[in-house]
Amino acid sequence: MEKEFNVLISGGGTGGHIFPALSIAGGIKERFPQANILFVGAFGRMEMEKVPAAGYEIIGLPVSGFDRKNMLRNVKVLFRLWKSIRMAKKILKDFRPDIAIGVGGYASGPMLKAAQKKGIPTLLQEQNSYAGVTNKLLAKKADAICVAYEGMEKFFPSEKIVLTGNPVRQNILRCPLSKEEAREKFGLKRDCRTVLVVGGSLGARTVNNCIIASLPKIAATEHVQFIWQSGKYYDATARQAMDEVKPGNVRQMAFVTNMDEAYRAADLVVSRAGASSISELQLLGKPSVLVPSPNVAEDHQTKNALALANRGAAVMVTDAEAPGKLIDTALSLVADETKLKSLGDNVAKMALRDSVTKIVNRVVEIVDKK
């Protein structure tokens, strides 16, 4: 394959889609510095901020999801879809990609469908153990489907499946600090058990409410400290709660930019069960309490969490159970060295490594074949 070629990457909506997409782009640029990469996302969504910040060009489509509660609103949704399809055709004409990569999310539907109709090779990357609707619709005409879980034949043609694992933010695997040094970076004690709470980049209402309700208990707990990523939507509420209780053993922030150091500092992670988060926990061998979000398509986060919990690789607390047991579970678990080691060992065994390399290899094969 020639070193200079055009790659279109489409999808987004959440960090779970965007971070894998950026990892794939980084893998392509590392191997082929002259490659031209264009992202296509959904206008107004998170990718429109994160992708340019990573140094890539992005075009936003006006596409949005269907409203299952108010069907009348879908008139606007259909108009936006029609407009997005027209824009997708123009993008293909102007950019002339050698391959289009879809990572799931609103924008990847019209963009990848348009590419397939034009005969442009497509590769899909499915992060979850339960395939998303968009990828299922695109699978029949895709050239390859890169997955992170075994048994995906129930969703996709078996001959197109490539087991690669999920690409993750590479910097989280390269933290140069010791656990004690990482804790100091957050203004925490070096020798104190540490819980990292992450609800995703936007935040998780239930997880945040559990922390807020338990701040007095956390503040009174000796030998345990917390790093709390509340997400930008809940930052003001979280800061108000912190001001009222003033716990000396909690560091709260809207978004943790140095996630490599946060992971290194932590003995236990409390997290939603998004595919990217789970892949990071597997690669790092981190014990976790997973609280699946009930507000996702096909309840795929519960399926993700069960894939770990059933192997003794994580503890699952449902969203409904969380108010009554999440913090107590975390405090009990972080003090149990034997259980922490067992969870860490088991989750590390599930890791699929070198995902980006495997996906880039498949991209090369597809483009060379073309």
Side-chain angles (χ1 to χ4, degrees):
M1 182 175 65
E2 294 181 6
K3 289 186 178 181
E4 185 170 345
F5 65 110
N6 296 340
V7 180
L8 186 148
I9 302 177
S10 184
T14 68
H17 290 125
I18 298 162
F19 294 133
L22 289 172
S23 296
I24 294 169
I28 292 170
K29 289 294 282 186
E30 186 174 338
R31 196 179 306 186
F32 304 101
Q34 300 305 312
N36 301 306
I37 297 178
L38 174 67
F39 281 79
V40 178
F43 189 76
R45 302 288 286 184
M46 182 180 170
E47 58 268 23
M48 302 305 295
E49 174 188 342
K50 296 296 182 184
V51 170
Y56 297 99
E57 180 185 356
I58 186 169
I59 297 173
L61 302 182
V63 65
S64 60
F66 280 92
D67 191 326
R68 299 177 183 179
K69 296 181 180 178
N70 188 338
M71 298 305 292
L72 289 176
R73 291 183 182 175
N74 289 327
V75 174
K76 288 184 178 180
V77 173
L78 289 171
F79 175 73
R80 293 184 189 124
L81 178 60
W82 172 79
K83 189 174 180 181
S84 296
I85 292 170
R86 292 193 65 183
M87 288 180 65
K89 291 177 180 177
K90 186 176 189 307
I91 291 168
L92 294 175
K93 183 179 179 181
D94 293 344
F95 186 62
R96 301 174 63 85
D98 293 285
I99 187 169
I101 300 171
V103 296
Y106 299 142
S108 66
M111 195 68 249
L112 270 288
K113 193 70 176 175
Q116 290 178 343
K117 285 185 175 180
K118 290 279 289 183
I120 296 166
T122 57
L123 179 145
L124 307 179
Q125 200 269 319
E126 174 56 58
Q127 296 100 26
N128 295 291
S129 59
Y130 194 94
V133 174
T134 300
N135 279 347
K136 284 191 283 188
L137 292 173
L138 295 168
K140 186 176 179 181
K141 293 187 177 179
D143 291 77
I145 305 162
C146 297
V147 302
Y149 293 88
E150 296 178 348
M152 299 300 284
E153 294 83 3
K154 57 182 175 283
F155 305 112
F156 304 128
S158 58
E159 70 276 7
K160 297 183 179 183
I161 293 174
V162 186
L163 185 62
T164 60
N166 280 325
V168 302
R169 296 170 283 186
Q170 294 302 297
N171 66 310
I172 69 160
L173 308 177
R174 302 169 182 159
C175 182
L177 304 183
S178 68
K179 182 173 284 192
E180 292 75 20
E181 290 169 338
R183 289 170 179 168
E184 281 191 336
K185 287 287 290 287
F186 286 93
L188 295 170
K189 295 178 180 177
R190 290 173 63 94
D191 58 351
C192 199
R193 289 293 174 90
T194 304
V195 180
L196 169 63
V197 181
V198 286
S201 48
L202 301 179
R205 182 191 307 166
T206 299
V207 174
N208 284 325
N209 286 345
C210 289
I211 296 290
I212 290 169
S214 299
L215 274 180
K217 178 187 289 189
I218 293 170
T221 303
E222 295 183 3
H223 310 303
V224 178
Q225 53 196 5
F226 281 67
I227 299 170
W228 175 23
Q229 177 183 286
S230 59
K232 69 176 184 179
Y233 289 165
Y234 303 95
D235 183 46
T237 305
R239 281 190 285 112
Q240 181 180 344
M242 289 287 291
D243 288 342
E244 291 173 359
V245 179
K246 293 181 171 56
N249 58 342
V250 180
R251 297 294 176 267
Q252 178 271 331
M253 58 212 75
F255 189 74
V256 178
T257 54
N258 51 332
M259 275 301 296
D260 58 328
E261 296 170 352
Y263 275 131
R264 181 58 58 87
D267 297 289
L268 177 70
V269 179
V270 176
S271 174
R272 286 300 200 190
S276 290
S277 297
I278 285 180
S279 294
E280 291 176 351
L281 294 171
Q282 290 171 338
L283 288 165
L284 294 168
K286 282 291 174 182
S288 65
V289 179
L290 299 175
V291 187
S293 170
N295 305 312
V296 294
E298 310 289 351
D299 197 24
H300 67 251
Q301 286 205 7
T302 296
K303 297 175 177 70
N304 290 347
L306 285 171
L308 272 66
N310 290 339
R311 299 189 191 189
V315 172
M316 187 178 89
V317 174
T318 68
D319 198 78
E321 294 172 333
K325 66 184 291 188
L326 177 60
I327 300 306
D328 286 342
T329 299
L331 290 173
S332 172
L333 187 55
V334 78
D336 188 338
E337 184 67 36
T338 302
K339 183 65 172 176
L340 287 178
K341 186 177 187 311
S342 174
L343 290 172
D345 290 345
N346 289 338
V347 77
K349 292 174 186 175
M350 297 179 69
L352 292 170
R353 304 186 184 277
D354 301 318
S355 299
V356 172
T357 300
K358 294 172 184 173
I359 293 171
V360 174
N361 287 345
R362 197 72 186 94
V363 168
V364 173
E365 290 174 14
I366 292 170
V367 176
D368 275 344
K369 185 177 178 182
K370 175 195 173 188

